[in-house]
Amino acid sequence: MIVAGFGFRKSATLASLRSALERATQGNFAPAALATLDHKAPQLDPLAQQLRLPLIAIPSDRLTGQTTLTCSPVSLAAHHTGSVAEAAALAAAGYHARLLAPRAVSQDRLATCALAEGNPI
């Protein structure tokens, strides 16, 4: 199963989230679910509903310890992970998940998206 994980600012719009997803998938992958931090899930829900995909809300403690390909100092300080998008994708994709590529950034730079493939528990 492929999961699209998201990290984004409060000011991110639906267009921001869609742009990050489009850049991450590049038309080559179709995620089976979307994931983000639990407190950010309501902001991602409209995209999940539009795409008719389940939304997985990840508690922040499940991001810690995920090995990410990128490292944002802001993300590291705020969430104890190098990339919220990458860590959320990994946490949601389950056991032995692997990132398909580093996170992609939306055109407006307000959202990031990363894809992970794994076997959810």
Side-chain angles (χ1 to χ4, degrees):
M1 174 170 115
I2 295 175
V3 176
F6 286 83
F8 48 89
R9 296 175 189 234
K10 278 187 180 181
S11 57
T13 64
L14 184 57
S16 306
L17 299 168
R18 186 173 287 282
S19 171
L21 178 62
E22 288 170 359
R23 287 175 172 221
T25 61
Q26 297 180 17
N28 296 320
F29 301 100
L34 307 183
T36 194
L37 283 166
D38 53 4
H39 70 275
K40 290 186 172 235
Q43 194 172 344
L44 185 57
D45 190 54
L47 180 61
Q49 287 187 25
Q50 274 188 6
L51 299 174
R52 297 184 179 166
L53 293 174
L55 175 57
I56 302 167
I58 305 294
S60 60
D61 64 333
R62 290 206 34 223
L63 299 187
T64 303
Q66 298 288 350
T67 302
T68 60
L69 298 175
T70 59
C71 187
S72 159
V74 172
S75 179
L76 198 54
H79 303 290
H80 308 290
T81 184
S83 167
V84 169
E86 292 175 13
L90 288 166
Y95 194 65
H96 290 302
R98 68 177 181 88
L99 289 169
L100 299 178
R103 69 182 183 198
V105 181
S106 64
Q107 186 172 359
D108 62 9
R109 307 205 47 84
L110 297 176
T112 59
C113 178
L115 303 176
E117 185 173 35
N119 298 308
I121 299 170

